[in-house]
Amino acid sequence: MASSVGPSRARKVTLRDVAQLAGVSVATASKALNGRDEVSEETRRRVTEVAERLAFTPNTLAQSILAGRSGTVGLLTNDLDGRFSLPILMGAEDAFGAGQMSVFLCDAREDAIREQHHLKALLGRRVDGLIVVGSKTDPRPPLGSKVPVPVVYAYAPSTDPADSSVVVDNVRAGRAAVEHLLATGRRHVAHVSGDVSYSAARDRAAGAGAALAEAGLDHVGPVRYGSWSEAWGRAAVAALLDADEPVDAVVCGSDQIARGVLDALRDRGVRVPDDVAVVGFDNWEPMISGSRPGLTSVDMRFQDMGRRAAERLFAALDGSDHPGVEAIEPRLVVRGSTVPEA
Amino acid sequence: MASSVGPSRARKVTLRDVAQLAGVSVATASKALNGRDEVSEETRRRVTEVAERLAFTPNTLAQSILAGRSGTVGLLTNDLDGRFSLPILMGAEDAFGAGQMSVFLCDAREDAIREQHHLKALLGRRVDGLIVVGSKTDPRPPLGSKVPVPVVYAYAPSTDPADSSVVVDNVRAGRAAVEHLLATGRRHVAHVSGDVSYSAARDRAAGAGAALAEAGLDHVGPVRYGSWSEAWGRAAVAALLDADEPVDAVVCGSDQIARGVLDALRDRGVRVPDDVAVVGFDNWEPMISGSRPGLTSVDMRFQDMGRRAAERLFAALDGSDHPGVEAIEPRLVVRGSTVPEA
DNA sequence: AGCGTGCCCGAAAAGGGTTTCGGGGACTTT
DNA sequence: AAAGTCCCCGAAACCCTTTTCGGGCACGCT
């Protein structure tokens, strides 16, 4: 007879229902369920039993409205399809999930209008704080001064240094790559990077250059900027080898470029790592796992960055965060493309 | 003197504040801001002006508690680091974002305990519905019968056929791959796939086999199951060519395997697509963009799947969804690995 | 027996917004 | 001028939970 309307339209069971069925007042029911000691064991038992039977779940909305804190956080990303925001998001989810926070996810797609729209919705829902995830390392304008909750920027820092930001350290990453190459005996280091309009490309090159300079060296040829693609890596190798300068190492602006470089070197019969060592950035699984030999790469620790952003947001919530830009230290992962595999 | 505590601890401005400052009652303020016509234009103007000035944002929590609908949905994923959940999630975010829904993101990491924990939290927050995203196409146990809101399963269907599920059609995808190969004149089709414990691997092989059978053909050799990796693709090519049976096409269980197959064929001097055609599945950008030649692949349309799941959830919300499993039709994307590029 | 003392429990307010309903003021009509 | 009508506005209830405060009841002590 299908007397119930729809699949699951049962009115939500409320504390009043529980109280009524247990024969106590709502106040008592509340106290019983929340473990307050102003209630007898016998009553508590009866109330909890009824709550269990009705599958009662306290309405967090009502609790939030009362407490003035919602226990929710907004995660405002601009790059949901990208590689960077996802691990960050995971790290944040991780850090929050441990506690009692729930996470609102919003993708603004690099659109400032959409971002403001989402921001407004989140503030309406009374999020306790916000994490803003960028898609590039280049600084971005802050959300606006009128945001009444703490904000932490991840990956892309705010242009305002007084905001809280957590970023990767591209300069240091470039330095780490070169220091590893120097330590393993390389002296002729070329550099193939991505789009020069990205600060990530320029910063990594700057770090690499600085490390070379400290050893009294310089890049072989100019830093070759191009695009963040395998095709560019392959094309760059052609140009590099045709230039006929000795090269025993290539620093690549990303793992994808490195993959192209590796493939092109293999095509040309150049042995890796014997003749030329190759280093990438990001330690990106899909590129790493298939490459021959395994690609040495600088891991930017996106997930830790997300976790750290969440931690700082927590700190900001109880006022113990001091704002500013914090850099995550990159971590070199050595594989067969720079050191012969055992 | 820093009399304010913390960076932005201003008490939230409430409707009462607006009303007071505008010299009207809360009731009138509410009506003015919500466009109800029981208020004079003059009053409305004054109220909106004050609201604007105070940056008043109505407390959605309070509205929700009253309306009995929160305007939020839970997105319960198990594979936040994976390739599948993300586009699904984007599609869903997309479909919701258009309206007034906000999305709670939770990653259960394949852990049933954690899933239940998140579920409870989401129900406490009175989500209006749930989308559950799996990490494999294999059916999964439903959340539980006691869930008082509509649920749509995406990618991994519920084992209960009476639940609402949106899945990819792997059989059809396998068929599409083979039909394309047959249409372009191939007759000797080998099949290299991933982990046999995945229904995705088996279903794609089944679809491919069926299409071959209809043409009076069969796979060259057995379907070679292995792992979802480039390395396996390379290894399989070695075995395949050593078997010394004629092969003019290889269907690969994933783009990653296909990438390995392409690389190994190139190493061995086999021309693609002239001598052998290669097809992959998933149309996964990172693998596609770098491959030589461009990889023909069957796009499973994850994003559309996510969007569809969101649409069905909407339908379920107003009772117009009829449950059951719905399959998304895959789409073949032809590139240079099966047809010579112009 | 009377008084004091705990122990449980319930009434009520709070929190922010929406909605219903009634009332008051101004304007029109006779 | 009195009566009727219409238009705005405000008081109050409601949603669900927590918390404070006061009251009632039983028991012990003198």
Side-chain angles (χ1 to χ4, degrees):
Chain A
M1 284 305 171
S3 71
S4 78
V5 183
S8 45
R9 287 287 168 278
R11 196 180 56 77
K12 297 297 285 187
V13 23
T14 145
L15 184 59
R16 174 163 24 230
D17 303 333
V18 175
Q20 202 154 14
L21 213 61
V24 297
S25 74
V26 268
T28 305
S30 171
K31 282 178 280 199
L33 294 177
N34 292 341
R36 316 228 350 180
D37 53 1
E38 304 135 322
V39 68
S40 72
E41 269 322 308
E42 153 62 14
T43 308
R44 185 188 309 281
R45 199 196 47 69
R46 207 170 62 239
V47 171
T48 42
E49 195 270 333
V50 171
E52 193 76 25
R53 186 149 51 86
L54 297 187
F56 168 71
T57 318
N59 188 330
T60 313
L61 301 176
Q63 294 176 288
S64 300
I65 215 175
L66 200 54
R69 300 177 307 102
S70 65
T72 60
V73 174
L75 207 33
L76 206 40
T77 174
N78 279 296
D79 181 36
L80 198 44
D81 59 336
R83 318 208 313 269
F84 309 115
S85 62
L86 191 54
I88 295 170
L89 198 148
M90 280 190 69
E93 226 262 337
D94 204 25
F96 288 133
Q100 301 303 320
M101 286 276 170
S102 292
V103 176
F104 280 117
L105 174 70
C106 302
D107 185 10
R109 318 233 175 124
E110 308 283 7
D111 179 350
I113 306 290
R114 206 189 311 253
E115 183 170 279
Q116 284 300 317
H117 173 251
H118 277 143
L119 175 61
K120 194 157 185 181
L122 289 173
L123 291 180
R125 297 195 187 281
R126 294 298 186 263
V127 292
D128 295 333
L130 287 164
I131 294 182
V132 179
V133 182
S135 61
K136 304 168 54 175
T137 61
D138 300 72
R140 52 152 288 154
L143 285 184
S145 54
K146 302 185 299 291
V147 180
V149 296
V151 181
V152 175
Y153 297 83
Y155 200 59
S158 164
T159 47
D160 183 347
D163 286 333
S164 294
S165 303
V166 182
V167 300
V168 299
D169 192 336
N170 280 316
V171 175
R172 187 149 192 161
R175 175 180 292 278
V178 164
E179 283 170 353
H180 169 61
L181 292 173
L182 294 176
T184 52
R186 312 289 169 167
R187 285 297 175 271
H188 307 285
V189 180
H191 199 121
V192 178
S193 194
D195 190 332
V196 69
S197 74
Y198 282 62
S199 65
R202 300 191 306 273
D203 290 347
R204 288 168 185 180
L212 284 170
E214 285 170 18
L217 298 171
D218 196 0
H219 276 126
V220 176
V223 175
R224 294 165 195 269
Y225 292 104
S227 69
W228 302 106
S229 68
E230 292 186 55
W232 163 240
R234 294 196 295 262
V237 165
L240 202 62
L241 297 185
D242 289 347
D244 221 27
E245 284 184 277
V247 171
D248 61 8
V250 183
V251 174
C252 303
S254 75
D255 287 339
Q256 224 159 341
I257 294 172
R259 182 73 192 267
V261 166
L262 280 179
D263 284 353
L265 290 175
R266 155 181 296 264
D267 283 355
R268 294 203 164 216
V270 178
R271 294 173 306 162
V272 176
D274 312 67
D275 301 330
V276 172
V278 176
V279 183
F281 292 93
D282 295 344
N283 196 34
W284 189 31
E285 241 296 302
M287 287 298 123
I288 296 293
S289 67
S291 77
R292 290 173 295 168
L295 179 63
T296 294
S297 185
V298 184
D299 191 320
M300 306 310 282
R301 297 173 59 204
F302 295 131
Q303 192 159 347
D304 289 330
M305 186 168 71
R307 197 187 330 269
R308 192 70 195 106
E311 287 167 5
R312 286 190 68 183
L313 188 56
F314 271 137
L317 288 180
D318 56 48
S320 65
D321 181 66
H322 21 91
V325 179
E326 171 181 335
I328 298 290
E329 179 146 357
R331 188 172 52 86
L332 182 78
V333 179
V334 178
R335 296 196 185 84
S337 71
T338 57
V339 171
E341 271 154 346
Chain B
M1 282 306 171
S3 71
S4 77
V5 183
S8 44
R9 288 289 168 280
R11 195 180 59 77
K12 296 298 285 187
V13 23
T14 143
L15 184 59
R16 172 158 30 228
D17 303 332
V18 176
Q20 202 155 14
L21 212 62
V24 298
S25 73
V26 266
T28 305
S30 171
K31 282 177 281 198
L33 293 176
N34 292 341
R36 318 228 349 182
D37 52 1
E38 304 135 323
V39 68
S40 72
E41 269 322 307
E42 154 62 13
T43 307
R44 186 188 309 281
R45 200 196 46 71
R46 208 169 62 238
V47 171
T48 43
E49 194 270 333
V50 171
E52 192 76 25
R53 187 148 51 85
L54 297 187
F56 168 71
T57 319
N59 188 332
T60 312
L61 301 176
Q63 295 177 296
S64 301
I65 214 175
L66 198 55
R69 300 178 308 100
S70 65
T72 60
V73 294
L75 207 33
L76 205 41
T77 174
N78 279 295
D79 179 37
L80 197 46
D81 59 335
R83 318 208 311 270
F84 311 115
S85 62
L86 190 55
I88 296 169
L89 198 149
M90 281 190 69
E93 225 264 336
D94 204 25
F96 287 134
Q100 300 303 320
M101 286 277 171
S102 291
V103 176
F104 279 116
L105 175 70
C106 301
D107 186 10
R109 318 233 175 127
E110 308 283 8
D111 179 350
I113 307 289
R114 205 189 311 252
E115 184 170 277
Q116 284 300 317
H117 174 251
H118 276 142
L119 175 60
K120 194 158 185 181
L122 290 174
L123 292 180
R125 296 195 186 282
R126 294 296 185 269
V127 292
D128 295 333
L130 286 165
I131 294 182
V132 179
V133 182
S135 61
K136 304 167 55 176
T137 61
D138 299 74
R140 52 152 288 154
L143 285 183
S145 54
K146 301 186 301 289
V147 180
V149 296
V151 181
V152 175
Y153 298 83
Y155 199 58
S158 164
T159 48
D160 183 348
D163 285 334
S164 294
S165 302
V166 182
V167 300
V168 300
D169 191 337
N170 280 317
V171 175
R172 186 147 193 163
R175 177 181 290 278
V178 165
E179 282 171 353
H180 168 62
L181 292 174
L182 294 178
T184 54
R186 313 289 170 167
R187 285 296 175 271
H188 308 284
V189 180
H191 200 121
V192 178
S193 195
D195 190 333
V196 69
S197 74
Y198 283 61
S199 65
R202 299 192 306 274
D203 290 347
R204 288 167 185 180
L212 284 172
E214 286 170 16
L217 298 171
D218 196 0
H219 276 125
V220 176
V223 175
R224 295 164 194 268
Y225 293 104
S227 68
W228 302 105
S229 68
E230 291 186 55
W232 163 240
R234 294 196 294 262
V237 165
L240 202 62
L241 297 187
D242 289 347
D244 220 28
E245 285 184 277
V247 170
D248 61 9
V250 184
V251 174
C252 303
S254 76
D255 287 340
Q256 225 159 342
I257 293 172
R259 182 73 191 268
V261 166
L262 281 180
D263 284 352
L265 290 176
R266 154 181 297 264
D267 283 355
R268 294 203 163 215
V270 178
R271 293 172 307 163
V272 176
D274 312 67
D275 302 329
V276 172
V278 177
V279 183
F281 292 94
D282 295 346
N283 196 32
W284 190 29
E285 239 298 301
M287 285 299 123
I288 296 294
S289 67
S291 77
R292 291 173 294 169
L295 179 63
T296 294
S297 185
V298 184
D299 191 320
M300 307 309 282
R301 297 173 58 204
F302 295 131
Q303 193 160 346
D304 289 330
M305 185 167 70
R307 199 188 327 270
R308 192 70 195 105
E311 287 168 3
R312 285 192 68 183
L313 188 57
F314 272 136
L317 288 180
D318 56 48
S320 65
D321 182 65
H322 22 91
V325 179
E326 170 180 336
I328 298 290
E329 179 146 359
R331 188 172 51 88
L332 181 79
V333 180
V334 178
R335 296 196 184 85
S337 70
T338 56
V339 171
E341 269 154 347

